[in-house]
Each structure stands twice: as structure tokens, then as C-alpha cells.
Amino acid sequence: MSTEHSIIIESELEEDTSTWETLLSRVIPAALEAEGVTVPCEVDVLLTDDEGIHQINLEQREVDRPTDVLSFPMFEFAPGEPPTDDADADPETGLVPLGDMVISLERARAQGEEYGHGTEREVAYLAVHSVLHLLGYDHMDEGPQKRQMREREEAILNRLGITREEDHG
């Protein structure tokens, strides 16, 4: 049984982002499911460019540079212990608001090319990476948590059939 999540995607870009919206609407719920999230959640996504994400990074984190993805979790979950009841749900919607994710499509394109696996895999990877942050994963310690996060990212992408070899985006 799949849980009905609400993935709200907005774009600041002039271009048509429907391809990315379709991809994210598939990837984000799959990542939540893979992490054992059994309650309906809401995730808000903003698609922007390097300038847009630079501004948000500066305002929210006082980091004066663009990045590929930003995650703003609403709650502090422990990694591997996602919400399993609706105690944190918004009474209006019945959804647990996990938080916000901001993706720079400009950076995703550049990195997809740089890593040789294309934009589609890069956008999917950034979305999965961000979902894990919203669920309490962190990689600041460069140690076991980072490894655990990388393993989860690859496992989720593999479940989706988005692998390095097959993606020539």
C-alpha cells in the first residue's frame, strides 16, 4: 500500500520544468517509502538556478555561494526513524510537513555533465539526498553517518532504476 504524499513543486525558472516535476513526483515518494515513512507527508520543492539558491543559502544559512540542493527540515528525526504516526500532522491537511527542498537545476545540469551521468540522475540524486536530510540524516561528520546516507541514496536510486550505467540523460 502506498501512502499518498503531497509533493508541491514550484519553479522560479523561465523554462518548462514539467519533466523535472514528473521526475520529482516519482522520486520523492519512492524515497519516503524506501525509508519506511507510513504517514502522508508534504514536501515543498523549489526549482531555481545558481543565483536563486545562492540568495537562499545566504539568507538562511549565511553561506555566500550557490550550492546544488538545500534542505530545510521541519522536524528533527533520527536517521532511520521516520514519522510513523500523524502526531506531527497539520490538522488542516492531515499531512506531516517534512520541510522544504531547493534544487538548482543549473547546478544539477553542470554536475550531471561533470560526473558523466546526466541531469536526470543528478536531479533524482539531489532529491533523494534532500529527502534523507528532511528525515534526519546528516553528512557533516564525514564518518559513519555520511556513509550511511550514501548507502541509502544509492539503494533508493537503484530501487527506482536510476543507476549510473543506464542514465545517459
Side-chain angles (χ1 to χ4, degrees):
M1 183 190 117
S2 83
T3 306
E4 215 32 62
H5 299 293
S6 173
I7 313 302
I8 298 166
I9 303 170
E10 292 181 30
S11 173
E12 293 183 335
L13 304 169
E14 299 290 318
E15 68 188 86
D16 176 15
T17 55
S18 55
T19 304
W20 308 118
E21 291 171 32
T22 302
L23 178 68
L24 294 169
S25 298
R26 183 172 72 103
V27 168
I28 295 170
L32 293 171
E33 187 180 322
E35 282 301 301
V37 176
T38 55
V39 291
C41 295
E42 177 180 312
V43 176
D44 291 276
V45 183
L46 176 65
L47 298 175
T48 188
D49 55 17
D50 283 359
E51 188 182 329
I53 208 165
H54 183 165
Q55 201 53 47
I56 294 165
N57 209 11
L58 186 58
E59 287 167 11
Q60 300 294 324
R61 300 176 61 231
E62 297 182 3
V63 177
D64 191 8
R65 64 173 191 272
T67 186
D68 49 9
V69 64
L70 290 171
S71 311
F72 299 102
M74 198 70 160
F75 302 102
E76 287 188 28
F77 298 112
E81 295 177 23
T84 51
D85 61 39
D86 57 7
D88 294 318
D90 179 328
E92 303 262 318
T93 63
L95 299 166
V96 175
L98 288 182
D100 301 333
M101 124 181 9
V102 182
I103 296 175
S104 167
L105 284 181
E106 187 178 340
R107 182 57 55 102
R109 283 191 180 96
Q111 288 179 178
E113 196 171 306
E114 181 186 333
Y115 301 139
H117 57 222
T119 308
E120 183 180 332
R121 179 187 152 85
E122 188 64 19
V123 170
Y125 167 79
L126 294 173
V128 169
H129 181 82
S130 187
V131 165
L132 292 177
H133 275 310
L134 297 181
L135 294 175
Y137 286 83
D138 193 4
H139 53 79
M140 296 304 177
D141 69 349
E142 296 296 324
Q145 279 199 356
K146 184 170 184 171
R147 267 196 310 283
Q148 178 189 25
M149 193 166 175
R150 292 291 173 266
E151 285 165 13
R152 292 305 305 143
E153 289 162 357
E154 289 306 320
I156 293 165
L157 289 169
N158 287 338
R159 265 178 79 157
L160 282 159
I162 302 173
T163 60
R164 284 197 176 96
E165 297 74 44
E166 292 167 24
D167 185 309
H168 298 293

